[in-house]
Amino acid sequence: MKIVSTIAELKAATAEARKQNKIVGLVPTMGALHKGHLSLVNKACSECQFVVVSIFVNPTQFNNPEDLRTYPRTLEADTRLLADNTNADVVFAPTVEEVYPEPDTRQFSFGPLAEVMEGKYRPGHFNGVAQIVSKLFMFVEPDKAFFGEKDFQQLAIIRQMVKDLAMNIEIIPCPIVREDDGLAVSSRNTLLTDEFRAVAPFIQETLRKSVEKMSTMTPQETIEWVCRKINNYGNLEVEYYSIVDGLTLQDIESWDDTDYVVGCITVYAGKVRLIDNITYKY
Ligand code: PAF
């Protein structure tokens, strides 16, 4: 596994792979790798003959400077984990100056898709995600790119970006990986205090139970039920819970509004912001 930090080295490595007609896969990450990332990389390795993993804490997608400052950075452990557990070919770990030699002034517009949920609570976040992911796509020119379904809205935004820019890249969604107690695996879990780590699995437990409420409650009543349950448990604090059409990400009023219904939640466990989701109908 080769570790490179410049775009020139990255391009040289991918050009060589393409010369050999290899299918090139990209797994973009912000590092602090865990078993969720490993599952993305291993899926990429099973579908592609040449896999690039990028590790870059992208400053333009953080709307909270404290979140950017405290985001875990563990490059050495990350590369060891990848070398020991995957067949990734290249790790691209650039500096901020390499990626943004000048400030990125591009403005992406995703319409209603980006105006709800994370887009509403983290202004500018998806513009930053689109800036970095579009750059990575231009650097690597992958045939396929792999993203986790935990960031459900991000996946929808990236699909839209690829469509808008007519990029010839297949976006592969990968299922959420969970700890044994149900907590969605996340780099932020390492920041949880013991007290909050103990109660955090209640988020997924409540979402799962809420599926049983579909026959007796409206989506709005289900939202209220979920928020009440979680807010009354171990100092957890729901930022938002939305039950949406899985394609448009717009709120639904009735379970019959669409065939694809997903619930997306953000919960504060102390200072740590956790996100998760559940599919009600697909
Ligand atoms: O999901 C993430 O880790 C990041 O948003 C991504 C896609 C790597 C872009 O920085």
Side-chain angles (χ1 to χ4, degrees):
M1 191 179 79
K2 205 166 172 174
I3 302 168
V4 302
S5 60
T6 67
I7 298 163
E9 290 168 297
L10 173 67
K11 286 196 169 192
T14 50
E16 186 54 39
R18 212 161 287 106
K19 228 195 287 167
Q20 295 168 29
N21 283 326
K22 290 186 173 171
I23 297 175
V24 176
L26 170 66
V27 184
T29 82
M30 295 207 298
L33 300 184
H34 48 63
K35 56 185 178 183
H37 294 114
L38 293 182
S39 82
L40 297 183
V41 178
N42 284 323
K43 189 168 169 68
C45 292
S46 72
E47 293 192 19
C48 306
Q49 286 121 22
F50 188 84
V51 172
V52 177
V53 180
S54 63
I55 297 182
F56 179 64
V57 181
N58 172 39
T60 72
Q61 71 186 77
F62 284 80
N63 56 323
N64 177 345
E66 182 62 7
D67 194 18
L68 174 61
R69 197 183 62 77
T70 58
Y71 201 86
R73 290 161 171 88
T74 54
L75 184 59
E76 218 181 291
D78 289 346
T79 49
R80 208 171 323 115
L81 201 67
L82 287 170
D84 290 349
N85 296 282
T86 76
N87 290 321
D89 297 277
V90 172
V91 173
F92 176 52
T95 59
V96 173
E97 293 71 31
E98 179 73 9
V99 175
Y100 298 111
E102 284 162 27
D104 194 336
T105 54
R106 291 174 300 158
Q107 289 293 325
F108 292 79
S109 174
F110 298 106
L113 215 50
E115 283 162 12
V116 295
M117 304 193 288
E118 294 299 282
K120 184 165 154 194
Y121 286 88
R122 301 182 70 187
H125 169 66
F126 287 125
N127 198 57
V129 169
Q131 286 176 338
I132 185 60
V133 175
S134 62
K135 275 184 182 259
L136 291 170
F137 283 180
M138 288 186 280
F139 301 159
V140 178
E141 296 181 64
D143 299 289
K144 301 183 184 201
F146 298 76
F147 293 89
E149 285 177 330
K150 183 165 79 68
D151 296 295
F152 191 78
Q153 190 172 11
Q154 169 171 282
L155 196 49
I157 296 277
I158 288 165
R159 281 194 166 120
Q160 187 63 47
M161 182 188 80
V162 163
K163 215 158 135 189
D164 289 347
L165 300 178
M167 290 171 146
N168 195 14
I169 300 170
E170 193 183 346
I171 302 301
I172 312 286
C174 304
I176 300 177
V177 174
R178 298 188 179 280
E179 301 293 355
D180 289 345
D181 58 15
L183 177 64
V185 170
S186 161
S187 305
R188 289 194 165 87
N189 291 357
T190 57
L191 304 174
L192 290 168
T193 61
D194 290 349
E195 178 207 345
F196 280 111
R197 175 62 190 83
V199 295
F202 189 70
I203 302 166
Q204 173 61 15
E205 192 185 318
T206 308
L207 293 186
R208 259 191 293 112
K209 282 191 184 144
S210 77
V211 177
E212 293 158 22
K213 304 288 171 194
M214 285 175 78
S215 53
T216 53
M217 288 182 179
T218 64
Q220 186 54 39
E221 286 165 346
T222 310
I223 289 171
E224 286 160 18
W225 183 85
V226 164
C227 292
R228 205 168 44 244
K229 287 286 248 189
I230 295 179
N231 284 332
N232 284 327
Y233 195 82
N235 292 325
L236 293 172
E237 236 177 89
V238 177
E239 183 170 50
Y240 67 80
Y241 185 47
S242 299
I243 297 182
V244 300
D245 178 309
L247 291 179
T248 66
L249 305 191
Q250 303 308 297
D251 289 342
I252 57 160
E253 285 182 8
S254 150
W255 298 113
D256 298 327
D257 282 358
T258 165
D259 292 334
Y260 185 16
V261 178
V262 179
C264 297
I265 197 159
T266 296
V267 178
Y268 273 97
K271 288 194 172 143
V272 184
R273 194 171 181 274
L274 299 174
I275 69 172
D276 204 345
N277 61 70
I278 191 140
T279 301
Y280 287 95
K281 243 172 94 174
Y282 187 49

